[in-house]
Amino acid sequence: MSETTHYRTCPLCEAMCGLEVTVENDRVTRIRPDDDDVWSKGYICPKGTTLGYMHEDPDRLRAPVVKRDGEFVEVSWDEALRVAHDKIRGVIDTHGMDALAIYYGNPIAHNISLAKYVAPLTAMSGITVGYSAGTVDQWPKNVSAALMFGGMWTIPTVDLDRADFVMMIGANPHASQGSLLAAPDVCGRLREIGRRGGKVVVVDPRRTGTVKYADEWLPIRPGTDAALLMAMVNVLFEENLVSLAHLEAKVNGLDDVEKLCKPFTPEFVAATCAVPADRIRLLARELAAAERGAVYGRIGTCNQEFGTLASWLVDVLNVLTGNLDREGGSMFANPIAWSITMLPNPEYTDGFEFGRWKSRVRGAPEVFGQFPVSCMAEEIATPGKGQLKGLLTIAGNPAISAPDAGKLHDALPMLDCLISVDNWINETSTHADVILPGMSALEIPHYDDIIWSWAVGSAGNYSPPVFPDTDRPQEWQILLMLAGFCMGQSPDEIDVDGLDDLFFHGLVDALTQMPGFALEGRDAREIIPECREEGGPLRILDFQIRTGPFGDHFGAKPDGLTLADFEAAPHGIHMGPMIPRLAEVLKTPSGKVELAPPYITADLGRLQKRVGRKESDLLLVSRRHVRSNNSWMHNVPSLVSGRDRCTLLVHPDDASRCGVRDGAKAEVRSEAGVIVVPVEVSDEMTPGVVSLPHGWGHDRPGIRVAVAREHPGVNNNLLAPGTFVDEISGNQAVNGIPVVIRAA
Ligand SMILES: Nc1nc2c(c(=O)[nH]1)N[C@H]1C(S)=C(S)[C@@H](COP(=O)(O)OP(=O)(O)OC[C@H]3O[C@@H](n4cnc5c(=O)[nH]c(N)nc54)[C@H](O)[C@@H]3O)O[C@H]1N2
Ligand SMILES: Nc1nc2c(c(=O)[nH]1)N[C@H]1C(S)=C(S)[C@@H](COP(=O)(O)OP(=O)(O)OC[C@H]3O[C@@H](n4cnc5c(=O)[nH]c(N)nc54)[C@H](O)[C@@H]3O)O[C@H]1N2
Ligand code: SF4
Ligand SMILES: [Mo]
């Protein structure tokens, strides 16, 4: 019996924990935390130990499947690719390119092949219509970052280990393990802040698990964060607490912000936010007084009605208190390997512009080229010129994750062509004509991509595959084939390596001409032969490391890093804590931080109307759990065992008022739909707010996830109205949905 030990990074969430994987006779026998991992130092969560199960999951697709007479049949790769080609060409040749769309899902950010090859897929295929999980997630933050700092992913994060005051708003790292904040054991690090005499305040309608590690819970009415933050801005100006410090000469629009915050006094917003005016004043003073403080906002501040205003104000507060780009404040990460997503987008060289075109059916303005994901259903279902006839889903499950789920369930079967690049037959891919599976997390190499762009330190870790499989195409090859089909190439003539070279050479060529790039002015023809011989994501990764801040710059810094250094360091390489980087990352046309972008401040009128608005007395918010990962890990028995977690949390007062009982079922009704779900009465909810997890609803016909089927839960997006959006980013509002509940 041969036992081998493998060190690798868990790809499941942004914490990027190091795992020690033991394999005996080709089977995983144990997964433990890697105590020597330079980044996670022995931290993991229960999901990390399930990679072996997911690798062996009998429901996971190992071969492509094609729909025949309503049933999936396993076919050869040649056959599956031929069907995919014919389906794609059928749509493009009959209806034109505009009838074909891509939906990008969340795991793209966590898979090396997908992270590096969605860009060439998009660019080469010529597909112009894109939808993504991004518009139920961080689109508002992308808008505020683009307009304030000049890049949609130029997003600062809290320098957790050196902060002494953190206001955490709309985030629950106890469940999520941190988001747009990459740090293993966020909660442990929050507790340390208190231990060193600092303070953590959690602003959330629910007393979450994170609160146990914090010093104070401040309940808030969903969707009113922007009002609360604006009132804090008001206090900073009123009480002369604004102190830009090192940012003094680097900011535009300070006077505008001072004027704009005038109406938003603490008294004006207090009742709406359900936060006492005195507490708002104190909060502003605490932030101002902190030597190293930061406001950190996440999904509760994004996928809600005023997502962009809230996202913007988080950074405004960090600027006004001099905390942006300061140690222990809110800082820009310094990744060892840059991400393609972070490169400046040539579309916006003269600044960002939104609403350049509108969606066909609803007239929704585009933002970064996308419409709210809920538009997808109506674009499929509504006949006429420009109707969507084909869809490629790449690692996504919009049938569960997109608002107005009921409409998408009805629309997906109407497509002439649905191709899913996915590893399971789930609520979305069950409608596919072809499913092209990727490999398990243990069969592919790993090195995190964009997540390092908001990590609390500069580190990196390369993991070779535990079970290399050379007989099947890698996902980057699948994506390039799909691109080739869109370009008109047939499965017989397609040259994947040629397309890969075309993309890679083009990238190197463009970057050697980009001002400020590590290889600026060098000759691409001399660089390319120095790159790794094998194509694919590792060649790109090596290039990204070598041209990054610690790289060898192809000879210019002989002691610098290359991918080979990581291959020789199974526990990773850590290059140190966060450093001030504002001057380097700032790309606004003015060269300054734009504190009052007109596109955003024009939305303040809408916020003003929200204050005092009469509304339903019960609002629904979403939640996550540490043993769950969006919609796709409910097929792991150890993660779904125990009591039902898909419950509606209801405050005792609301429960008695509405006549619902703990353990019994309630009917929950919104403008969009009605569901029935078990109730959990709990004083961890603030009165007037109920909470339901997202990612459930595995009771759809045709899915092949046996374990998940036994623990179906309900899809909370059946309740989310598609048109309920943060208007200026187009991000869906899945928090703060007016609902009515009663006993079922
Ligand atoms: N009501 C409500 N809705 C929400 C949210 C909420 O808070 N409330 N959150 C939103 C957020 S933040 C997000 S990110 C979205 C998520 O939305 P999606 O990305 O659409 O959903 P996931 O459940 O992450 O689906 C991931 C899919 O990728 C597949 N997959 C997993 N690993 C791989 C891989 O390596 N390769 C391939 N090809 N496929 C893989 C899985 O089988 C699954 O089908 O949901 C959003 N929807
Ligand atoms: N275990 C696990 N980890 C995950 C995921 C998962 O599904 N499971 N999903 C991953 C993904 S895709 C993402 S985007 C991240 C998200 O990471 P987080 O942003 O930390 O997400 P949540 O844990 O949903 O926490 C959001 C909190 O916002 C609160 N909230 C809701 N509405 C409002 C509001 O209007 N105002 C305020 N202030 N708070 C509000 C909710 O009560 C909840 O506690 O997590 C990632 N990590
Ligand atoms: S927190 Fe859990 S899911 Fe996230 S990377 Fe670590 S082990 Fe994986
Ligand atoms: Mo997300």
Side-chain angles (χ1 to χ4, degrees), residues 125-192:
S125 66
I127 295 177
T128 54
V129 191
Y131 292 95
S132 76
T135 58
V136 205
D137 193 339
Q138 80 299 323
W139 232 233
K141 196 73 200 176
N142 294 133
V143 170
S144 71
L147 297 175
M148 294 179 80
F149 307 122
M152 72 182 279
W153 291 104
T154 308
I155 297 173
T157 198
V158 46
D159 182 16
L160 215 47
D161 297 337
R162 293 179 291 190
D164 58 22
F165 180 83
V166 173
M167 175 176 169
M168 181 164 270
I169 177 163
N172 180 19
H174 183 255
S176 69
Q177 305 298 312
S179 179
L180 294 180
L181 166 58
D185 194 14
V186 172
C187 284
R189 291 165 195 243
L190 289 175
R191 187 176 46 205
E192 283 308 309

